[in-house]
Amino acid sequence: MTDKAEKKPRAPRKPKAPKPDAAKLRALAAEIDTKLNQHQDDLIHRLEAEEGAVIADDGPALGWSVTMAGIRATGTAGVRGALSNWANAARRAALRAEAA
């Protein structure tokens, strides 16, 4: 075994996710803040249908998760908590995008 093993070619890299649109993230976060308490069902339906949100119950130990616009957030206090956490994460991502 004097021959060195040939190296395998590298797997192609995943394309980088597009940078988030700060204005869109701020608008979604504001909408969640204003509609979450009174129109939760309508809000969830709109986010899933129009914004491509994935809202899932991950089980009693993990709680709920919300994935939308490249941001994922979880919450153990129900879907309302997960949406609120997503709005906070979206505001932080908007600040990072504006600073870059």
Side-chain angles (χ1 to χ4, degrees):
M1 295 214 139
T2 57
D3 295 339
K4 290 186 177 180
E6 290 185 34
K7 290 185 178 181
K8 292 183 182 179
R10 284 188 172 186
R13 291 185 180 207
K14 291 182 183 179
K16 289 185 178 180
K19 290 186 178 182
D21 178 12
K24 178 72 170 180
L25 293 176
R26 286 188 187 281
L28 287 169
E31 181 181 5
I32 288 171
D33 288 340
T34 58
K35 295 182 179 178
L36 187 58
N37 291 328
Q38 296 176 346
H39 306 285
Q40 178 177 324
D41 293 336
D42 295 336
L43 174 66
I44 290 171
H45 178 70
R46 192 196 87 65
L47 293 175
E48 288 177 332
E50 297 176 16
E51 302 296 339
V54 177
I55 301 171
D57 182 359
D58 295 333
L62 299 175
W64 287 80
S65 66
V66 177
T67 305
M68 177 172 50
I71 298 171
R72 182 173 189 272
T74 60
T76 56
V79 68
R80 182 173 293 174
L83 282 167
S84 180
N85 290 345
W86 186 93
N88 290 331
R91 280 189 281 275
R92 288 191 302 271
L95 286 171
R96 283 192 303 270
E98 290 170 349

